[in-house]
Amino acid sequence: MRSARVSRRGLLGGGGVAVVGVAGGFAAGRAGAGESEATTVESYAFRGEHQAGIVTPAQDRLHFAALDVTTDSREELVALLQEWTEAAERMTRGEDAGPEGAVGGSYLLPPDDTGEAIGLPASGLTVTFGLGPGLFRDAGGRDRFGIADRQPEALRDLPHFPGDALDPRRSGGDLCIQACAQDPQVAVHAVRNLVRIAFGRVSVRWSQLGFGRTSTTSTSQDTPRNLFGFKDGTANVKAEEPEALAEHVWVGPDDDPAAGWLAGGSYLAARRINMTIEVWDRQPLGDQEAFIGRTKGTGAPLSGGSEHTEPDFEMPGSNDTTVIAPDAHVRVVHPDMHSGARMLRRGYNFVDGSNDLGGLDAGLFFIAFVRDPRTGFIPVQNAMAKQDSLMEYLRFTGSALFAVPPGVGEGEYVGQTLLG
């Protein structure tokens, strides 16, 4: 018996979003067991000018995985990316990862879908792929796939910033998969099946689950809060700012002569930031707000106004300093302090149990998309590491950088501009 599926290919067409109401049976493409409630489901097209999962309204859940390529065959790498493209497109439509599905194939063969998403809608799933520096040159400098001469100049391992306490088991990677959805099981299902498809050609280097988005990527979304209890990402680049996206997020065709294949793509910088929550929770409210430079309730800058009021960094305060302290987080990372550089943040909270001291292993899995990490990310991180008073409560334990290829058209696969 096959799992019933309702294809939304026609509904998506060339647009970005399909909203489908289904009464009876089940919603959005997977067979349900006795469900009868009408359900509204949102799904996003996998194909387009840019990869989904960047300017897409940030979903609530994340499963991120970094992988190392274990094959030296260019043909196997291309075949993998083709298979991933097909499977990702199916899953973002709310279908099983493979054509036979979790229960539709032979009883004598393993299913081509793992089945934990049977009965679940697409849940706004997006799957975004990235390519790490090691894909172009491995640790020994080998050009395994004949693409070293096409490595972008900006695609290098991120530097070791002051104060970093990086775990190599949580850093780097040849490839990355970012799966975001409103349902955590849908996001985990996507990564699980893509890793299953890649068996024998890649190995998982590290992965991270996230919940409670910590930024907005659309003006339709309210600003969320991080685990310190403050609104985060107020000044984020938004989908409704095409000029800002072109300037700060999308790679231009003339940015790098060796990497014209990346035009329309972006760079993904990932940083795993542990928060010393128990210490933070014992700080007075006034000190917490001074460290951030914003009020905890409304998110307004300490210089006054509402959340989206531009901070006044020159407003005088007490003790011969400004109302917003020189080492306040909002000042240190503000675009005005970095020649106007902005980034599109897409991070998530995480709690990974407890550490050896009994405290929460928790914090922010920071993700930012930038046009050039050398100007849009690294200077901001350096300033934060050296000047930000918030660093007393943070530990950076993971770090990675990936080039995110442009979107794919019909009949194309992710990375085809590089490997095709």
Side-chain angles (χ1 to χ4, degrees):
M1 175 181 178
R2 294 179 185 274
S3 54
R5 288 188 292 273
V6 179
S7 173
R8 293 195 294 274
R9 184 187 298 271
L11 289 167
L12 287 169
V17 181
V19 180
V20 185
V22 181
F26 100 94
R30 290 194 177 93
E35 292 198 23
S36 59
E37 295 182 30
T39 309
T40 299
V41 177
E42 188 177 62
S43 60
Y44 298 102
F46 178 76
R47 298 182 185 274
E49 180 182 3
H50 309 290
Q51 287 197 59
I54 303 176
V55 298
T56 309
Q59 304 93 320
D60 193 58
R61 303 289 178 148
L62 164 81
H63 190 185
F64 191 100
L67 311 102
D68 288 331
V69 178
T70 56
T71 179
D72 289 344
S73 166
R74 180 181 177 123
E75 290 71 23
E76 287 189 7
L77 176 61
V78 168
L80 170 62
L81 294 174
Q82 291 171 333
E83 293 167 31
W84 272 2
T85 298
E86 179 180 345
E89 184 174 20
R90 294 178 62 86
M91 290 188 287
T92 56
R93 290 200 303 257
E95 299 176 4
D96 292 324
E100 299 296 335
V103 298
S106 169
Y107 280 90
L108 302 178
L109 297 173
D112 61 14
D113 183 277
T114 50
E116 71 272 24
I118 292 176
L120 298 179
S123 299
L125 173 68
T126 56
V127 181
T128 313
F129 297 101
L131 315 177
L135 193 69
F136 296 83
R137 293 179 176 87
D138 67 11
R142 286 191 308 144
D143 179 9
R144 294 178 290 169
F145 308 112
I147 55 176
D149 61 341
R150 307 188 75 187
Q151 180 175 0
E153 186 60 34
L155 184 62
R156 301 291 186 269
D157 289 332
L158 289 173
H160 188 97
F161 298 101
D164 275 1
L166 301 181
D167 182 347
R169 297 171 300 176
R170 296 186 180 273
S171 301
D174 294 341
L175 301 169
C176 77
I177 305 168
Q178 174 194 270
C180 300
Q182 301 298 355
D183 186 328
Q185 189 144 321
V186 170
V188 169
H189 169 263
V191 171
R192 177 184 177 186
N193 277 273
L194 293 169
V195 171
R196 176 188 57 79
I197 289 168
F199 180 77
R201 293 170 287 185
V202 305
S203 62
V204 176
R205 186 180 180 95
W206 56 270
S207 66
Q208 181 68 56
L209 294 173
F211 68 92
R213 60 181 176 83
T214 60
S215 57
T216 60
T217 55
S218 170
T219 55
S220 65
Q221 297 180 305
D222 293 331
T223 307
R225 295 180 184 271
N226 58 34
L227 294 184
F228 282 160
F230 280 77
K231 291 190 174 185
D232 207 344
T234 294
N236 205 30
V237 177
K238 304 290 197 300
E240 294 82 4
E241 301 179 85
E243 293 182 359
L245 290 169
E247 181 178 358
H248 300 290
V249 177
W250 306 130
V251 174
D254 301 319
D255 285 5
D256 185 337
W261 61 269
L262 190 55
S266 191
Y267 290 92
L268 185 161
R271 301 273 283 168
R272 187 178 188 272
I273 309 173
N274 277 83
M275 296 174 167
T276 54
I277 290 176
E278 293 79 10
V279 179
W280 174 265
D281 290 345
R282 293 194 292 270
Q283 306 311 306
L285 175 61
D287 288 354
Q288 291 183 2
E289 291 187 342
F291 294 143
I292 300 293
R294 292 185 178 274
T295 63
K296 195 168 189 176
T298 67
L302 296 183
S303 53
S306 62
E307 177 191 349
H308 295 285
T309 301
E310 277 297 311
D312 183 351
F313 296 122
E314 304 304 320
M315 179 180 287
S318 57
N319 300 321
D320 297 322
T321 188
T322 50
V323 170
I324 299 176
D327 59 356
H329 178 70
V330 68
R331 180 187 184 116
V332 172
V333 302
H334 196 275
D336 287 355
M337 307 300 163
H338 301 281
S339 304
R342 299 174 65 192
M343 61 185 77
L344 189 151
R345 295 177 49 177
R346 223 175 189 279
Y348 288 83
N349 297 312
F350 71 85
V351 176
D352 291 341
S354 301
N355 58 32
D356 293 340
L357 300 177
L360 284 177
D361 181 3
L364 167 66
F365 186 65
F366 180 95
I367 297 172
F369 290 91
V370 294
R371 180 174 178 173
D372 189 333
R374 297 169 297 182
T375 56
F377 181 75
I378 292 174
V380 179
Q381 285 292 288
N382 267 321
M384 186 176 173
K386 297 174 182 177
Q387 305 169 27
D388 199 327
S389 60
L390 204 58
M391 287 295 293
E392 182 178 350
Y393 305 95
L394 305 176
R395 290 181 68 246
F396 289 79
T397 54
S399 186
L401 181 68
F402 301 93
V404 177
V408 294
E410 289 297 328
E412 298 176 345
Y413 63 89
V414 172
Q416 184 168 329
T417 53
L418 171 66
L419 292 160

